[in-house]
């Protein structure tokens, strides 16, 4: 019965894929084999889940690539978001009509699925020197010494603060955000001086709490990957530190509820309206902030530990089901998009972190950073950040942490109780896949 269900799902997904593709995508699929053998450029499809300015900028870069050479033609196929992109890629692989390259994530899991091509044979060290990519972004792309993808752009969560409120309080931002203890010490001072109702706002959900635990010396899994460590003293102390600020000291509050990203934008509004001193938010928040009032700094550490918040990247991935010629052409597009110049251009326009170290030396980008130093904070933080966690249970550990975060942030439940329960659930899920 299960096998029949799976087959039906694959067929349905494939049908949805073909009805959902653009006309350009359908035409490319029909003509694919002919074009590969025609002597002209190899035409490949690139699927990505970007919209708004990011989508428009991606179209611009694709056009520039196609005009820069005559060996490869990229046809961009825009999807609604990252999740839809992955679902359609799965269906396309099942239907034996995959794109040549797509933006995705969870490289290790996709390698275990057998979904990704090993790109090692195509790599030109002059075009994509692996040691020029930020380690925190490149390391997850390499499995057992083989390169299965390249980071497209990176993101991390940083501190955004009101310059005018700190000036009014006579506070030096670097001193305020030197440690998490200092952040909330000065949050109380901001309140006592009646400069703002709240000090620093922790963003709702488990991500900020994970950053805090990692910046307190915690780990998610043991080095051998067999034991869950999310109820260690480092985790409990970090999460209880935040819980105390919310419910006892009341220096911060949690904006939760609403549809989609509503809680996120309410948190931003609290700071932009002057109701709070600062908040922890994404490097992609820049378009929603007024930097005549706002500036930025990296997340600090806790209890004498260095700040180790998560930094992760969305990846450029090539399905193993693509032909060798498509894979080779896909690599050429990847090399172009991750070149220092294009990586710098993307970061300057969109706000994500450039993936190449040498992007920082591109003249136009250097000038931009000199004039807007806040824009370089995510990059600086990524240089010493924790790599994004790849959940080997395909989401069960992350779900357990999300449930525990709600208990701590919304219900004032002691972190030990919440994390002990989460660790039990997570360990059972981990043991099930390690049998």
């Amino acid at each position: 019965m299960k096998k029949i269900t799976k087959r039906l799902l694959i067929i349905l997904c494939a049908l949805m894929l073909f009805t959902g593709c653009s006309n350009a995508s359908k035409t490319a699929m029909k003509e694919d084999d002919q074009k590969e053998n025609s002597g002209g450029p190899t035409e490949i499809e690139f699927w990505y889940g970007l919209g708004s300015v990011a989508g428009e900028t991606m179209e611009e870069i694709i056009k520039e690539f196609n005009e820069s050479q005559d060996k490869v033609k990229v046809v961009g196929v825009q999807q609604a978001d990252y999740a839809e992109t992955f679902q359609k890629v799965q269906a396309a692989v099942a239907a034996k009509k995959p794109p040549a390259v797509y933006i995705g994530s969870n490289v290790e899991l996709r390698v275990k699925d057998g979904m990704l091509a090993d790109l090692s044979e195509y790599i030109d060290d002059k075009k994509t020197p692996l040691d020029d990519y930020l380690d925190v972004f490149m390391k997850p792309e390499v499995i057992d010494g083989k390169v299965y993808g390249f980071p497209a752009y990176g993101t991390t969560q940083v501190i955004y603060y009101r310059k005018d409120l700190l000036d009014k309080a006579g506070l030096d931002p670097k001193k305020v955000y030197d440690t998490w203890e200092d952040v909330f010490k000065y949050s109380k001072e901001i309140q006592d001086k009646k400069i703002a109702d709240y000090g620093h706002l922790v963003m709702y959900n488990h991500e900020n709490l994970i950053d805090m635990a990692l910046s307190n010396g915690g780990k998610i899994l043991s080095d051998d990957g067999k034991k869950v460590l999310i109820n260690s003293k480092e985790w409990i102390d970090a999460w209880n530190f935040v819980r105390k600020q919310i419910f006892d000291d009341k220096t911060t509050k949690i904006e939760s509820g609403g549809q989609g990203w509503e809680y996120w934008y309410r948190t931003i509004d609290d700071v932009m309206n002057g109701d709070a001193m600062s908040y922890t938010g994404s490097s992609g928040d820049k378009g929603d902030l007024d930097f005549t009032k706002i500036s930025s700094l990296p997340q600090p550490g806790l209890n004498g530990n260095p700040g180790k918040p998560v930094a992760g990247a969305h990846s450029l991935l090539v399905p193993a089901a693509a032909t060798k010629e498509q894979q080779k052409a896909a690599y050429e597009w990847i090399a172009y998009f991750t070149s220092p110049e294009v990586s710098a251009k993307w970061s300057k326009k969109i706000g994500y972190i450039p993936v190449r170290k040498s992007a920082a030396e591109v003249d136009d980008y250097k000038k931009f950073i000199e004039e807007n130093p806040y824009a370089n904070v995510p990059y600086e933080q990524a240089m010493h950040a924790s790599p994004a966690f790849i959940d080997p249970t395909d989401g069960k550990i992350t779900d357990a942490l999300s449930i525990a975060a709600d208990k701590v942030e919304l219900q004032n439940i002691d972190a030990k109780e919440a994390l002990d329960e989460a660790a039990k659930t997570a360990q059972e899920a981990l043991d099930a896949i390690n049998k």
Side-chain angles (χ1 to χ4, degrees), residues 168-185:
K168 190 174 181 180
L171 297 174
D172 178 0
K174 290 186 178 180
K175 187 175 181 180
V176 172
Y177 300 102
D178 184 50
T179 69
W180 277 117
E181 291 92 339
D182 285 332
V183 171
F184 288 105
K185 168 188 170 183

Side-chain angles (χ1 to χ4, degrees), residues 201-403:
L201 300 185
V202 177
M203 186 66 74
Y204 168 67
N205 70 33
H206 55 287
E207 292 179 353
N208 275 193
L209 291 177
I210 290 174
D211 281 351
M212 194 85 74
L214 297 177
S215 297
N216 194 36
K219 294 182 177 181
I220 299 177
L221 299 178
S222 59
D223 292 340
D224 62 8
K226 294 183 178 179
K227 184 172 175 57
V228 173
L229 303 177
I230 59 175
N231 62 338
S232 67
K233 185 178 188 301
E234 291 84 359
W235 280 76
I236 292 168
D237 287 352
W239 284 36
N240 268 335
F241 176 78
V242 176
R243 183 181 62 83
K244 181 175 182 291
Q245 304 307 321
I246 299 168
F247 294 101
D248 296 346
D249 296 347
K250 301 187 188 317
T251 53
T252 188
K253 67 173 180 175
I254 299 295
E255 292 281 13
S256 64
Q259 295 183 340
W261 297 102
E262 188 178 332
Y263 72 89
W264 194 286
Y265 291 108
R266 285 206 309 269
T267 305
I268 293 176
D269 287 344
D270 286 337
V271 176
M272 288 306 304
N273 294 335
D275 296 328
M277 171 181 83
S278 55
Y279 81 103
T280 311
S282 167
S283 54
D285 285 355
K286 291 185 177 65
D288 299 296
L289 299 171
D290 177 359
F291 283 94
T292 63
K293 296 180 179 179
I294 297 287
S295 194
S296 184
L297 282 170
Q299 286 194 52
L302 180 65
N303 289 321
N305 294 287
K308 295 286 289 183
V310 170
H314 293 286
S315 303
L316 289 157
L317 305 173
V318 177
T323 67
K324 287 290 185 180
E325 187 171 0
Q326 289 173 328
Q327 291 177 16
K328 184 178 179 181
Y331 168 76
E332 294 300 323
W333 161 240
I334 290 170
Y336 180 85
F337 187 79
T338 64
S339 65
E341 294 77 16
V342 176
S343 189
K345 173 182 177 176
W346 178 261
S347 178
K348 178 182 172 183
K349 190 108 179 242
I350 309 303
Y352 287 114
I353 306 169
V355 296
R356 295 280 289 268
K357 298 171 186 175
S358 54
E361 300 305 315
V362 174
D363 288 342
D364 188 48
Y365 189 68
K366 282 176 70 174
K367 183 179 179 183
F368 173 72
I369 293 301
E370 287 171 5
E371 294 173 351
N372 305 279
Y374 67 83
N376 201 42
V377 169
Y379 181 88
E380 292 173 350
Q381 181 166 286
M383 296 296 286
H384 60 80
S386 300
F389 174 57
I390 306 300
D391 189 342
T393 66
D394 219 359
K396 292 183 175 64
I397 294 174
T398 304
D399 287 346
L401 283 168
S402 179
I403 292 168

